């Protein structure tokens, strides 16, 4: 009997190490420019808004909405073979950055653009906890603009 393929996990680069350290604590962090205040993800050395090199990692609320969806019908890696079709989803965080992830708890075709979501974490290995998103509960759901309803 053959061994099941191991789940592929992201490589932890030096630039993104603080993100993965926070994810292990089940906290979502993104870089924030210390000069113009813009949030950015993934980590970059230079702010695309003001060209500053000064940045910090800041915890964000973990809520946002579905920006785009792609439903995969072919396995890009043997681990995904038993999981097709699955959704690859771009999440727009309330703070602004977009993050490639997925939405759990729904069939891929039930995920809708604009759907409010909140972060959760899947502990995959001792080093990697993946941020994944689920439909937001009424308590945390907010319109994408953050304006009151
Ligand atoms: Zn900036």
């Amino acid at each position: 009997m053959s061994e099941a393929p191991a789940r592929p996990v992201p490589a932890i680069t030096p630039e993104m190490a603080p993100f993965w350290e926070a994810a292990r604590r089940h906290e979502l962090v993104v870089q924030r420019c210390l000069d113009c205040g813009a949030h950015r993800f993934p980590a970059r050395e230079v702010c695309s808004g003001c060209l500053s090199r000064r940045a910090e990692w800041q915890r964000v609320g973990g809520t946002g909405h579905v920006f785009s969806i792609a439903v995969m019908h072919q396995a890009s890696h043997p681990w995904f073979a038993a999981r097709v079709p699955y959704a690859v989803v771009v999440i727009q965080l309330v703070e602004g950055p977009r993050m490639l992830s997925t939405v759990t708890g729904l069939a891929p075709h039930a995920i809708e653009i604009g759907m409010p979501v909140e972060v959760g974490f899947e502990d995959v290995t001792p080093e990697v906890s993946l941020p994944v998103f689920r439909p937001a509960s009424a308590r945390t759901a907010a319109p994408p603009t953050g304006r009151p309803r």
Side-chain angles (χ1 to χ4, degrees):
M1 202 168 130
S2 65
E3 209 171 286
R7 182 174 184 166
V9 294
I12 298 176
T13 60
E15 310 80 65
M16 289 294 291
F19 174 81
W20 294 112
E21 286 164 19
R24 284 197 291 274
R25 301 189 303 269
H26 291 191
E27 293 176 9
L28 192 66
V29 297
V30 299
Q31 266 188 331
R32 183 180 157 274
C33 176
L34 284 172
D35 286 303
C36 75
H39 291 90
R40 60 185 195 240
F41 183 87
R44 288 189 291 274
E45 197 177 330
V46 176
C47 177
S48 56
C50 74
L51 303 182
S52 171
R53 292 178 181 272
R54 300 184 336 114
E56 65 177 359
W57 287 88
Q58 188 177 66
R59 189 173 182 180
V60 291
T63 60
H65 68 274
V66 172
F67 179 80
S68 73
I69 310 158
V71 178
M72 302 293 148
H73 292 272
Q74 292 189 331
S76 57
H77 178 279
W79 184 84
F80 289 101
R83 291 159 180 90
V84 290
Y86 63 92
V88 175
V89 181
V90 175
I91 304 296
Q92 170 106 46
L93 297 175
V94 167
E95 291 82 1
R98 293 180 186 147
M99 194 169 279
L100 194 61
S101 182
T102 194
V103 173
T104 59
L106 289 177
H109 290 97
I111 302 166
E112 295 177 357
I113 289 175
M115 173 181 281
V117 292
E118 59 192 2
V119 75
F121 291 87
E122 274 185 33
D123 298 323
V124 178
T125 68
E127 294 78 32
V128 175
S129 295
L130 289 176
V132 294
F133 290 79
R134 58 185 174 249
S137 60
R139 184 177 51 80
T140 56
T145 57
R147 287 194 306 259
R149 291 173 213 236

